């Protein structure tokens, strides 16, 4: 972004937080509306879509719901019997953090991979770690145990499928061992993964923590700590509690909402929508229709 124009924009946002909030809110609402229309049309046109594409549309569908919830919180509430108007930015932070994780994992699986085999490998590892959430539960009712057994069998089937995929990939021995370790690990920890290649051969299989994930979305180094900030604000830590009191004493909640939470929501939803169009079967044709409602278009139009 052009530095001079960026400074002018930031000054305007500081001086007119409510007006800016309305502008960004309208932009997000329009993008949600168009995205939902596209999702419903895609589902109608692709009734027999394969699993990966169905998961892709579910992910975007959930993202639009999360973004709509963020907009609801951004309206603020009248607190108690008094006329005190508050914006629950802590709950906003939790939702934006969830949206961030969804956008990162989707891009990692569907966009950063070079072919279907790599995509499916990351998709199945992600599925295994999701199923592990239920498989590893200890204090469950007897009626729930058949679900755990079904999930455990699903995990084993996914691991067998992954073994076939790994056998088809051109990898070094060390990279194959790293992939096998990720497949066998009995965890539900959310992570991204990166194929490091020498020409077309995979020489390393690196894990990407969520703290490192901003590299996938932001070219600006100043945004490197955005996920950590969202985590700090949404956790019941000492600083999180302390900042709650400071925020409402200083009344800077609306500025913070505009600068961080709504701006990030618009950015993440824009990226998710465009990534969906690029990575999902028969969805590329919607790209040009949705692009004018995204943040990328706004930046390009204003030559920022």
């Amino acid at each position: 972004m052009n530095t001079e124009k960026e400074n002018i924009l930031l000054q305007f946002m500081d001086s007119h937080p409510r007006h800016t909030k309305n502008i960004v809110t309208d932009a997000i609402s329009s993008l949600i509306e168009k995205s939902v229309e596209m999702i419903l049309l895609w589902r109608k046109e692709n009734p027999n879509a394969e699993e990966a594409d169905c998961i892709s549309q579910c992910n975007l569908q959930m993202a639009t719901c999360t973004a709509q919830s963020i907009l609801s919180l951004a309206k603020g509430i009248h607190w108690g019997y008094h006329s005190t108007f508050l914006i629950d930015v802590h709950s906003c932070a939790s939702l934006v953090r969830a949206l961030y994780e969804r956008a990162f994992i989707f891009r990692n699986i569907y966009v950063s991979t070079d072919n279907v085999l790599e995509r499916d490998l990351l998709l199945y590892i992600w599925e295994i770690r999701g199923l592990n959430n239920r498989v590893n539960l200890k204090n469950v009712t007897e009626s729930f145990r058949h679900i755990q057994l079904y999930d455990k069998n699903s995990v084993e089937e996914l691991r067998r499928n992954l073994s076939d995929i790994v056998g088809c990939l051109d990898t070094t021995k060390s990279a194959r061992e790293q992939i096998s370790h990720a497949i066998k690990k009995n965890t539900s920890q959310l992570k991204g993964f990166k194929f490091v290649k020498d020409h077309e051969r995979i020489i390393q299989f690196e894990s990407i923590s969520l703290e490192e994930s901003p590299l996938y979305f932001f070219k600006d180094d100043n945004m490197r700590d955005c996920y950590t900030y969202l985590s700090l604000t949404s956790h019941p830590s000492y600083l999180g509690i302390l900042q709650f009191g400071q925020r409402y004493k200083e009344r800077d909640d609306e500025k913070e909402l505009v600068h961080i939470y709504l701006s990030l929501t618009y950015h993440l939803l824009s990226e998710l929508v465009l990534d969906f169009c690029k990575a999902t079967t028969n969805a590329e044709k919607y790209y040009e229709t949705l692009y004018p409602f995204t943040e990328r278009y706004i930046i390009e139009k204003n030559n920022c």
Side-chain angles (χ1 to χ4, degrees), residues 25-44:
T25 297
D26 287 345
I28 296 171
S29 296
S30 297
L31 181 56
I32 291 172
E33 182 180 349
K34 290 296 178 181
S35 299
V36 171
E37 288 178 5
M38 181 263 293
I39 291 168
L40 295 175
L41 185 57
W42 182 88
R43 290 174 60 186
K44 183 178 180 180

Side-chain angles (χ1 to χ4, degrees), residues 283-302:
E284 189 174 357
K285 60 184 178 181
Y286 305 119
Y287 189 97
E288 294 302 325
T289 302
L290 289 164
Y291 184 70
F293 296 91
T294 65
E295 182 197 54
R296 283 197 213 173
Y297 175 81
I298 300 298
I299 292 175
E300 181 182 297
K301 185 178 179 182
N302 290 280

